[in-house]
Amino acid sequence: METSIVGTGYVGLVTGVGLASIGHKVICVDIDAKKVEKINKGESPIYEKRLEELLKKALQKKLFIATTDLNYAVLNSQITFIAVPTPSKKNNDIDLSYMKKVSAQIGSALLNKKEYHIIVVKSTVAPETTLKVVLPLIEKYSKKKTGSGFGLCMNPEFLREGNAVDDFMRPDRIVIGEIDKQSGDNLAKVYKNFETDIIRTSLSNAEMIKYTNNALLATLISFSNEIANISEKIPGANAFEIFKGVYLDKRLNPVINGKRVNPQILSYLYPGCGFGGSCFPKDVKALVAFSNKKKYKPVLLSAVLDINKKQPLRLVKLTEQKIGNLKNKNIAVLGLAFKPETDDVRESPAIAIIKELVAKKANVFTYDPVVNAKNTHLHFKNFPFDHAQSLHQAVKNKDACLIVTNWKEFEKLTPEFIKSNMANHLFIDGRGFFHNKESEKINYLGIGLGNKKGASKES
Ligand code: UDX
Ligand code: UDX
C-alpha cells in the first residue's frame, strides 16, 4: 500500500522505514530539508539500532523516499500518517499548532485528489483532538466530507526510544481508532502481516489508550520512587530488594507452567532519579491539563509529576549529604540521555541535576557515550560545564561521580576496578547501577538505600 508520513522524527521515521521494510511503498515528509537530504543519502538523523541498516535497504529497493513536498506525498499515496510533534505549552496543555497546520495542508492537497484517501493521526493527541480538531480542518480545506471523500483513523504508537525498530516490528498490540468501518478496514490492511492483537475502537478511546498507557507507566515509576524515598529513611533498607519481594506477588508476576512470567524485577517499578524523554512528562502533563479543562482534578497524576520533578534533585542532596557544600567541588555527571541506547536528552533528569549543581557553584564535568558536546550544549544551553571525551577522563580526580543514565559502557566501573583505580572516589547512584554488585567494596550512596546512620538529613 502506498503510504505517506508527515513528520520524520523518532516516530515518523521508524514507522516509515518499518512499513517499507515489510513491503509498503513509503514517502516520508518533513519541513527540515537538511534532514530530508540526510535521510535520502541513507543516513539516519537519529540514533536507533538497526534503523540506518533498514533505511539503506528500503532506499535500495526504491520503497522509501523522503521529501519536503507534502502535496506530492499525499497525491502519490493512499494513506497519510501524521507524526508531527505535539509538545507541551507553557501551561502544560498540548500544543496542537503543528497538527493543525499539517491537517490543513493535507486537506488542501486532497482538494485536487479524486480517489478516496485515509488520514491517520499517529501523534499522541489529547482525547477528542482527531474528531474536533483534525476532522474539521481536513473537511474545510478539502471541501470533502469524511466517509465519502476521505477516511479518518487514530493509530497511536508505543515505540520506546532505543528499542523503536523492535517495538515497531513486534508490537504488543495495534490500536485502530476509526471514524467509520471503511477507514478502519483500510488501515488494518497496512498491518495485515503483523501477528498481534488488533483493537478496533473509537477515535477517543484510541487517543485515551495511548495517554493511559504512558500515564500508568509513569505512575508506576513515581510510585517506585516514592517507596525508594521512604526506604532511605530506614537504616539498611534497600528499595530494589523490597520490589524484588513485592514482584513475587502472582497478581503482578503470574506463575505459568511453574515458571514466573518475568523473572526480572517488574520494569517501571525500578527506582531512580526520575523519568524523562519526549513522552512521559509531556503526555502526563497534557492529560492533567485535559482533565482540569474537563473540570476533573487529577490528584494522582499531579502527584506523579510532583514526585518526578523533585526526584533528580535527590541525587544532589545525597551528594551534599556525603561531601557537604558543593561550591568548587568537582562533580562528574555520567549520562545525559534520558535513558540508555538513545541520543535523546529531552526532559532528561541530567538537565535538572546540572542546573542544580551549577546553582550550587560546583564544577561540573559531563560524559555520555552517545550524546556529543554539540547536542549537549544545544539542550543544556549556557550551563557552564566541561564535556569529557571518555568515561575515564570524566571520573578522574572528582569529588563525586553521579550516575544519571545507566549506560552499558559504565559497566567498566566494577567495584574491583573502582577499588583498585579510584578507591576514595564517591559514587552517587541514581539508577540502581551498583545494585546486585559487590558494592560493599566502594564508597557510594544511592536512591532507595537506607544509609547506615538511619534517616537521611533532608526533610
Ligand atoms: C513527537 C512526539 O514526541 C510524539 O509524542 C508525537 O506522537 C509525535 O511527535 P518524535 O518523533 O519524537 O515524536 O518527534 P521529533 O523527533 O521531534 O520529530 C518530529 C519531526 O516532525 C521533526 O523532524 C520536524 O522537523 C517534523 N515536523 C515538525 C514537520 O515535518 N512538520 C511540522 O509542521 C512540524
Ligand atoms: C515511553 C513508553 O515506554 C513508550 O511505550 C511510548 O511510546 C513512549 O514513551 P520512552 O520514553 O522511549 O517510551 O522510554 P521508556 O523506556 O519507557 O523510559 C521512560 C523513562 O522512564 C526513562 O527516563 C527511564 O529512565 C525511566 N524509567 C523507566 C524509570 O525511571 N524506571 C523504570 O522502571 C523504567
Side-chain angles (χ1 to χ4, degrees):
M1 203 169 183
E2 283 82 16
T3 60
S4 51
I5 298 174
V6 184
T8 311
Y10 283 91
V11 173
L13 184 58
V14 171
T15 303
V17 170
L19 288 173
S21 57
I22 56 171
H24 294 291
K25 210 158 161 31
V26 176
I27 306 171
C28 264
V29 183
D30 204 288
I31 49 171
D32 181 340
K34 284 207 190 70
K35 186 176 276 195
V36 165
E37 191 188 345
K38 206 171 150 73
I39 291 169
N40 284 330
K41 281 195 276 188
E43 294 164 31
S44 167
I46 53 173
Y47 177 90
E48 271 296 337
K49 38 186 191 281
R50 289 189 57 213
L51 185 59
E52 191 152 289
E53 163 214 330
L54 291 175
L55 170 61
K56 288 184 187 333
K57 279 193 190 129
L59 288 164
Q60 275 154 12
K61 290 183 192 161
K62 304 231 178 301
L63 284 174
F64 183 95
I65 184 93
T67 176
T68 54
D69 185 346
L70 183 144
N71 250 337
Y72 167 83
V74 172
L75 296 176
N76 289 279
S77 62
Q78 299 155 297
I79 187 166
T80 299
F81 290 87
I82 306 177
V84 293
T86 50
S88 299
K89 283 186 188 164
K90 285 239 179 326
N91 68 352
N92 286 342
D93 208 347
I94 187 171
D95 174 357
L96 292 171
S97 55
Y98 300 124
M99 182 58 67
K100 288 175 183 167
K101 183 187 74 170
V102 166
S103 300
Q105 289 171 336
I106 292 170
S108 307
L110 290 178
L111 195 56
N112 318 313
K113 179 167 186 180
K114 283 185 293 308
E115 301 81 16
Y116 177 76
H117 194 90
I118 310 266
I119 295 98
V120 183
V121 173
K122 187 159 271 295
S123 295
T124 303
V125 291
E128 301 180 297
T129 299
T130 308
L131 201 59
K132 294 187 175 170
V133 175
V134 175
L135 174 60
L137 283 166
I138 296 174
E139 288 190 330
K140 177 181 172 195
Y141 285 89
S142 68
K143 298 192 179 5
K144 297 173 191 247
K145 279 284 170 221
T146 178
S148 52
F150 63 90
L152 185 61
C153 289
M154 200 274 151
N155 170 225
E157 49 76 28
F158 300 94
L159 308 179
R160 288 168 299 163
E161 287 186 22
N163 294 69
V165 172
D166 195 43
D167 284 348
F168 177 84
M169 295 301 182
R170 297 190 301 163
D172 300 346
R173 81 241 94 163
I174 287 167
V175 172
I176 295 180
E178 57 200 38
I179 193 157
D180 54 36
K181 190 176 175 308
Q182 183 184 9
S183 304
D185 289 348
N186 277 282
L187 178 56
K189 281 184 204 150
V190 172
Y191 294 111
K192 69 179 185 324
N193 300 339
F194 285 81
E195 283 158 29
T196 188
D197 296 306
I198 294 198
I199 293 184
R200 302 277 296 261
T201 187
S202 71
L203 296 172
S204 298
N205 283 344
E207 289 159 338
M208 262 310 267
I209 287 171
K210 172 65 184 175
Y211 270 117
T212 306
N213 208 99
N214 275 0
L216 173 62
L217 295 172
T219 302
L220 285 172
I221 294 169
S222 281
F223 171 77
S224 69
N225 287 339
E226 178 123 290
I227 297 298
N229 297 344
I230 297 168
S231 307
E232 283 176 31
K233 306 281 185 188
I234 309 163
N238 179 320
F240 300 93
E241 293 304 309
I242 292 164
F243 278 110
K244 208 165 144 194
V246 167
Y247 191 45
L248 293 174
D249 183 319
K250 60 178 173 299
R251 290 162 297 187
L252 294 176
N253 185 7
V255 181
I256 297 183
N257 304 330
K259 279 183 79 182
R260 290 278 174 191
V261 164
N262 179 350
Q264 308 304 320
I265 184 169
L266 172 67
S267 56
Y268 299 92
L269 268 181
Y270 212 81
C273 50
F275 58 80
S278 69
C279 295
F280 283 179
K282 159 178 83 74
D283 295 349
V284 179
K285 284 177 194 166
L287 188 52
V288 167
F290 174 81
S291 310
N292 285 325
K293 250 191 325 197
K294 294 285 185 183
K295 307 269 180 287
Y296 174 79
K297 204 164 167 34
V299 283
L300 176 62
L301 295 178
S302 301
V304 166
L305 291 170
D306 287 348
I307 292 169
N308 195 59
K309 189 168 171 19
K310 295 177 194 133
Q311 201 62 13
L313 305 185
R314 298 189 68 81
L315 274 202
V316 179
K317 284 202 173 78
L318 286 173
T319 311
E320 285 176 314
Q321 194 180 307
K322 267 295 211 185
I323 61 173
N325 190 316
L326 299 184
K327 191 164 186 298
N328 295 329
K329 294 281 174 39
N330 295 324
I331 311 286
V333 173
L334 304 180
L336 297 177
F338 79 94
K339 61 184 268 196
E341 300 310 316
T342 179
D343 60 352
D344 196 343
V345 291
R346 290 179 283 189
E347 302 276 334
S348 167
I351 298 171
I353 289 169
I354 291 171
K355 197 170 171 187
E356 181 78 352
L357 290 171
V358 167
K360 291 180 179 286
K361 303 201 181 336
N363 305 320
V364 181
F365 301 81
T366 60
Y367 175 70
D368 187 288
V370 167
V371 178
N372 57 38
K374 179 178 74 56
N375 196 356
T376 311
H377 286 285
L378 180 77
H379 284 274
F380 295 83
K381 296 200 182 39
N382 48 5
F383 292 164
F385 60 82
D386 290 326
H387 189 69
Q389 293 313 310
S390 74
L391 176 59
H392 187 67
Q393 186 195 14
V395 298
K396 204 170 65 177
N397 305 332
K398 298 295 181 302
D399 296 299
C401 303
L402 278 50
I403 297 180
V404 179
T405 311
N406 47 350
W407 277 100
K408 203 120 194 67
E409 184 190 349
F410 298 168
E411 293 298 332
K412 283 181 206 164
L413 296 171
T414 59
E416 295 70 24
F417 175 84
I418 293 169
K419 198 162 166 24
S420 45
N421 293 282
M422 44 183 87
N424 59 345
H425 267 52
L426 168 67
F427 285 86
I428 306 289
D429 183 0
R431 288 292 177 200
F433 181 77
F434 289 112
H435 174 56
N436 273 344
K437 294 189 173 109
E438 293 158 83
S439 47
E440 61 285 352
K441 293 181 181 166
I442 55 174
N443 175 16
Y444 93 108
L445 265 185
I447 294 257
L449 307 182
N451 58 47
K452 315 269 179 310
K453 288 190 294 301
S456 45
K457 282 202 200 73
E458 39 87 29
S459 61

